[in-house]
Amino acid sequence: MSFRIRLPEGIDTPTVVVDLDVLDHNVATWAQRFADRGVGLRPHTKTSKCPQIVARQVAAGAVGLTVATLGEAEVLADAGFDHLFQAYPLWAGRDDRARRLRALHERVDLMVGVESAEAAAALGVAVRGTDRALPVLVEVDPGMHRSGVLPADVAGVARAALDAGLDVRGAFTFGGHGYGLCDAPAHAADDEVAVLSAAAEALDGLGIVPAVLSAGSTPTAQLSARPPVTDERPGTYVFHDHQQVTLGVAGWDEVSLCVAATVVASHADGRFVLDTGSKALASDRPAWVDGHGKIPAYPDAELRSLSEHHCVAWTTGPRPRVGEVVAVVPNHACTVVNLVDELTIVRDGEVVDVWPVASRGRNR
């Protein structure tokens, strides 16, 4: 393995560690890939939740920033970022939610997702009387069967949004079913392009020329970055993780985040235990991923089970000793980041900074 993260001597555990050079490489490389294709990058910031990382993405040329919640948008607005898109079918039918939406709309360039006439009406009421219409994108289902409407229903949602006084800018989709199997990203990317093409036709029938046709997840983004897509919304690419390596999206040398763990037990039968349970590694484990993460220094080891504070691993190869500190690459970096208050930033095995996970827990 060409894993590049070197853990600092004496680091306490469990600790989420980010290698600054690898992080900057990922930010710059992905920005250039999409610039070369003439497709914008609107990175999803739910991955890092960290203003210092977001600032690097903006400096690399991001056309905007994606958030999952109003809380995440508020944190970014407070940090001075503009051009925010909440890629979620926001429900503004509660007084407090409507008030927060209105306040954000009045202070930053905010765009939100919509996929029903009911939600469109509530959004319109929330921002009624402001000096400009709230921009929205209609969410289209690419076959993931989560939120989003079928292409045949895009015109109806868009018409309801116009009736509510909203500014329909285009459509968006998320090919999250690209995580279903190792060979799924290419098919999911084709689905994204197909439904956005159909959405563009539906909007054109209403006299709306879509300025934004947004797609993407980290596995599909490079595959769906083609007409009519105008921008992509990957998030995990700044860190990568065991999933992305398994899917072939990244190599081990592009993984910038790991969890430092201490071996607290090691047995002759090949079993050893780390102090990084589900509260440090999270519990995500797709069927096509081997174990609950990977230890690059011990590639034969399988992280078989997690308790809250124990990770039980087994190996038929070399086994780490009690007290040894190892780097664990988690299956899903996004959920791991949301478990901690800060990221320990390293370069060449030395701590160079500590960055806050500023929007941790901002799920509303």
Side-chain angles (χ1 to χ4, degrees):
M1 289 186 181
S2 52
F3 185 65
R4 293 175 57 187
I5 303 176
R6 290 170 48 200
L7 297 179
E9 290 290 333
I11 190 169
D12 202 0
T13 63
T15 296
V16 178
V17 173
V18 175
D19 185 286
L20 186 56
D21 289 337
V22 183
L23 172 76
D24 284 343
H25 166 81
N26 292 344
V27 170
T29 299
W30 278 60
Q32 189 60 54
R33 287 173 185 169
F34 292 103
D36 289 345
R37 300 184 188 194
V39 175
L41 189 59
R42 194 185 303 269
H44 209 314
T45 62
K46 71 178 177 63
T47 296
S48 75
K49 300 178 178 291
C50 177
Q52 287 86 346
I53 294 176
V54 173
R56 282 170 151 74
Q57 294 172 297
V58 170
V63 299
L65 300 169
T66 304
V67 299
T69 68
L70 280 180
E72 290 178 356
E74 288 164 338
V75 169
L76 291 184
D78 289 344
F81 296 104
D82 203 344
H83 306 297
L84 309 179
F85 169 47
Q86 184 175 355
Y88 196 87
L90 177 64
W91 173 247
R94 288 189 290 273
D95 289 345
D96 181 63
R97 185 74 55 86
R99 176 191 57 76
R100 291 169 59 207
L101 170 64
R102 185 185 185 94
L104 268 174
H105 173 56
E106 291 178 331
R107 62 190 285 223
V108 298
D109 180 5
L110 177 69
M111 185 165 59
V112 303
V114 64
E115 65 106 69
S116 69
E118 295 86 351
L123 292 171
V125 170
V127 299
R128 185 175 296 158
T130 56
D131 61 1
R132 57 193 171 88
L134 175 68
V136 298
L137 299 183
V138 178
E139 184 174 11
V140 194
D141 179 14
M144 186 181 179
H145 306 312
R146 194 173 66 176
S147 54
V149 298
L150 295 175
D153 297 322
V154 167
V157 174
R159 190 176 297 109
L162 293 173
D163 291 344
L166 304 174
D167 176 11
V168 180
R169 295 275 180 90
F172 77 105
T173 194
F174 172 68
H177 53 308
Y179 283 99
L181 296 167
C182 284
D183 62 352
H187 300 293
D190 289 342
D191 291 341
E192 289 179 321
V193 173
V195 298
L196 287 177
S197 297
E201 292 183 10
L203 293 172
D204 186 65
L206 294 177
I208 300 170
V209 178
V212 180
L213 293 170
S214 181
S217 63
T218 295
T220 63
Q222 296 182 73
L223 301 171
S224 61
R226 47 192 159 100
V229 174
T230 61
D231 69 65
E232 296 280 351
R233 306 185 318 279
T236 312
Y237 76 95
V238 293
F239 297 140
H240 291 305
D241 51 30
H242 190 203
Q243 289 187 135
Q244 303 305 326
V245 173
T246 303
L247 287 169
V249 177
W252 287 109
D253 60 332
E254 296 172 294
V255 174
S256 68
L257 179 146
C258 70
V259 180
T262 297
V263 179
V264 296
S266 189
H267 301 272
D269 61 0
R271 170 172 47 97
F272 62 96
V273 181
L274 308 176
D275 64 352
T276 48
S278 61
K279 289 184 176 179
L281 292 177
S283 300
D284 294 37
R285 186 180 180 180
W288 43 266
V289 166
D290 175 22
H292 288 279
K294 201 71 175 175
I295 306 174
Y298 295 91
D300 294 329
E302 180 183 354
L303 280 58
R304 290 189 182 176
S305 64
L306 298 179
S307 303
E308 290 186 38
H309 297 284
H310 300 73
C311 172
V312 180
W314 292 78
T315 183
T316 56
R319 177 167 40 90
R321 68 186 185 279
V322 172
E324 184 174 344
V325 177
V326 297
V328 180
V329 177
N331 284 342
H332 191 182
C334 304
T335 51
V336 167
V337 168
N338 197 47
L339 294 172
V340 297
D341 294 322
E342 59 190 26
L343 306 174
T344 296
I345 310 302
V346 304
R347 172 180 280 148
D348 296 328
E350 300 290 335
V351 176
V352 295
D353 213 340
V354 176
W355 293 345
V357 182
S359 59
R360 179 194 179 195
R362 296 298 296 270
N363 294 323
R364 292 185 292 181

